[in-house]
Amino acid sequence: MKLNLFKSLPVALAGLFIGTAASAQEPVTSTTPFRTWSIGVNAGVLSPVSPLGGQNDYSNWKSSLGYGLYIKKQITPYFSLRLDGVRGKLKGDNTEPFNSGVVNPSPFRSFETDLNYSASLNAVVNMFNFSAFKQQNNIQLYGSVGGGVTNYQVTTVNNAGASVESEKVDKLVIPVGLGAKFKVSDGINIDLGWTINFVDADNLDGFSRGSNDKYNYAHAGLEFALGKGQQLAFHSPVAVSYDEAVKAKQAADALKGDLDAQKAENAKLRSEMSDLLKDSDNDGVADKLDKCPDTPAGTVVDGSGCPLVAPKPQVTIITEEDRKVVSEAIKNLEFDLGKATIRSKSYASLNRVAGLLVQKNFSLKLAGHTDNTGSKELNLRLSKERAESVKAYLVSQGANASRIEATGYGMGQPIATNKTAAGRQQNRRVEFTLY
């Protein structure tokens, strides 16, 4: 028996690493689309044997053509679900003894199994990307395991030369595999794979010897990623975080440099204007502008250095009716999905809030919140934009803009669980606080 297939697979994998081509990458942002669905076609070699050892029912196994296709859904950069289908033939005979020299005492001379189909659902784990610090990689190693059904029909030839054809049977199969992918472009990958299929039966080759049968499928094929954008399977979140950290540090270094330069300039100006800035009574107003010199320490002064008479504080009284107006506005406030555009059904209650602000000269704090769907940066921006949108509308209805504060908190202050649709609905809100 020749093991050319097993000898050539490591060479192919090594060649795949060595042949990696550097490709330009577009930086990933919070709005970057990813390709998560893909289809693949492949062809390769089927053989009724396992390199992991175990009992072989025929002393001389043969390699036959196999072919397959699959549909895959990439759920995260590291995990996907793949629906596989494989067809082909399995062959073997006893024309030669085992490698140990022992002649197989089988009552059969040879067999041929028509693998009508093998359909399985597999969990695929990306075990390794070529570089954790590249946002999009070109090479990837993966492992897979799953379960499914195989349908086959066996034709055996006994030692007298008579052939017998069995009925078609369906049996459970557990495929366990390894593979490597090489990204040719954003939409096409070369896929090399090797799967050992464990069959829940001892008649895959027509000869039952007390242990379940298994077969190999080593293949090469093409995978086509559907949609637009980069492939999620080759995406590295670690690289995105690293790039963002580098950019943040560069921005901080630039700001620090500007701040240091400004401090030096300010020190120079202070030394040149020491006479102009002299303040003998330490009231914060330079002597040359101080109309009330020698003000007692601790006295609050105005811009001319004279004591400032504080106005009597105004007492703001918020009634239950006022709170009801605000509560109705919160209840009726709706935005277009994923946007900061206020829907028209919210205008009436917002108009009443604007009238309340104008009539009683209240101040209002608007706090925008979101659920945890999407990235932290996107949610923070959306919550801020929605709060600002409400402020802009109230100002358009006559409210004093200086008395309205709009802040976005993103997903950081949930009031309910984000694990349910109802909880996420409660967390998507804009809170109104009168004061």
Side-chain angles (χ1 to χ4, degrees):
M1 294 181 291
K2 297 182 179 180
L3 300 180
N4 294 335
L5 170 64
F6 303 127
K7 292 180 180 178
S8 62
L9 185 58
V11 176
L13 293 176
L16 190 59
F17 279 108
I18 297 172
T20 304
S23 61
Q25 299 184 68
E26 293 295 330
V28 175
T29 67
S30 59
T31 59
T32 299
F34 285 109
R35 303 181 190 220
T36 60
W37 284 97
S38 60
I39 58 175
V41 293
N42 52 67
V45 177
L46 283 168
S47 54
V49 69
S50 168
L52 301 182
Q55 178 174 268
N56 293 326
D57 295 343
Y58 289 79
S59 60
N60 185 37
W61 57 268
K62 297 183 178 180
S63 299
S64 304
L65 174 66
Y67 55 92
L69 57 83
Y70 62 81
I71 300 174
K72 187 183 74 171
K73 170 62 176 177
Q74 194 72 37
I75 299 173
T76 74
Y78 311 106
F79 179 78
S80 63
L81 291 177
R82 190 181 68 199
L83 185 62
D84 286 87
V86 177
R87 294 193 64 181
K89 291 181 180 294
L90 300 169
K91 298 179 182 179
D93 59 41
N94 290 313
T95 58
E96 299 177 7
F98 287 107
N99 289 338
S100 62
V102 176
V103 176
N104 193 345
S106 169
F108 300 107
R109 178 188 302 171
S110 64
F111 83 95
E112 180 177 303
T113 299
D114 286 323
L115 195 65
N116 298 316
Y117 65 81
S118 178
S120 61
L121 180 63
N122 295 276
V124 182
V125 177
N126 294 343
M127 301 183 296
F128 174 77
N129 275 333
F130 187 70
S131 173
F133 294 99
K134 291 178 63 177
Q135 292 189 11
Q136 281 284 302
N137 284 272
N138 296 323
I139 293 179
Q140 174 189 99
L141 294 182
Y142 65 87
S144 65
V145 63
V149 177
T150 181
N151 176 276
Y152 57 87
Q153 185 176 31
V154 186
T155 301
T156 56
V157 178
N158 62 25
N159 291 324
S163 63
V164 177
E165 185 176 80
S166 71
E167 295 182 354
K168 294 181 179 180
V169 294
D170 293 309
K171 295 294 182 180
L172 295 177
V173 64
I174 297 177
V176 179
L178 293 172
K181 287 186 181 176
F182 172 40
K183 186 176 72 170
V184 179
S185 68
D186 281 339
I188 301 176
N189 307 321
I190 295 174
D191 183 17
L192 300 181
W194 184 14
T195 304
I196 303 174
N197 298 270
F198 298 88
V199 182
D200 186 26
D202 190 19
N203 62 353
L204 182 66
D205 52 19
F207 186 23
S208 299
R209 296 183 66 187
S211 64
N212 287 348
D213 292 329
K214 44 194 171 290
Y215 64 91
N216 279 321
Y217 180 46
H219 68 268
L222 293 176
E223 180 181 53
F224 302 93
L226 307 179
K228 295 181 179 180
Q230 301 173 350
Q231 296 186 50
L232 182 59
F234 287 89
H235 174 61
S236 173
V238 174
V240 175
S241 299
Y242 176 77
D243 290 347
E244 290 178 349
V246 170
K247 290 178 181 178
K249 184 180 184 304
Q250 291 172 345
D253 291 342
L255 288 174
K256 184 178 183 301
D258 293 341
L259 181 60
D260 290 343
Q262 188 62 49
K263 285 181 177 179
E265 183 66 22
N266 290 344
K268 180 180 177 182
L269 290 175
R270 285 183 179 277
S271 66
E272 293 175 351
M273 301 176 64
S274 58
D275 290 340
L276 293 176
L277 298 176
K278 186 178 181 181
D279 181 13
S280 300
D281 56 5
N282 295 317
D283 61 358
V285 179
D287 291 348
K288 292 189 176 182
L289 301 177
D290 198 341
K291 296 181 179 180
C292 300
D294 302 323
T295 304
T299 303
V300 179
V301 299
D302 58 18
S304 63
C306 295
L308 183 65
V309 179
K312 295 182 179 180
Q314 296 182 352
V315 179
T316 301
I317 300 176
I318 302 174
T319 66
E320 286 301 320
E321 188 64 29
D322 298 334
R323 299 184 191 278
K324 183 178 180 181
V325 171
V326 172
S327 177
E328 286 295 321
I330 296 174
K331 179 179 179 181
N332 296 325
L333 182 59
E334 290 187 10
F335 296 90
D336 287 345
L337 184 63
K339 299 180 180 179
T341 305
I342 303 173
R343 293 182 175 175
S344 58
K345 67 175 293 184
S346 306
Y347 292 165
S349 56
L350 287 177
N351 290 342
R352 289 191 287 273
V353 173
L356 188 64
L357 297 178
V358 173
Q359 178 184 358
K360 296 191 175 183
N361 204 27
F362 285 149
S363 294
L364 178 66
K365 180 177 180 180
L366 300 170
H369 302 272
T370 68
D371 60 23
N372 66 347
T373 304
S375 70
K376 179 179 179 181
E377 293 77 9
L378 177 61
N379 284 323
L380 185 62
R381 185 174 70 250
L382 179 59
S383 64
K384 174 67 173 176
E385 290 175 351
R386 285 184 169 177
E388 290 287 356
S389 180
V390 174
K391 176 179 177 179
Y393 182 83
L394 295 174
V395 171
S396 72
Q397 300 302 308
N400 187 345
S402 65
R403 288 186 170 272
I404 302 176
E405 175 187 355
T407 307
Y409 295 95
M411 64 175 77
Q413 298 182 8
I415 59 174
T417 178
N418 278 308
K419 295 182 179 180
T420 65
R424 291 192 294 273
Q425 176 65 33
Q426 294 181 55
N427 290 332
R428 297 192 294 267
R429 67 197 189 279
V430 176
E431 297 178 344
F432 293 55
T433 304
L434 284 176
Y435 63 96

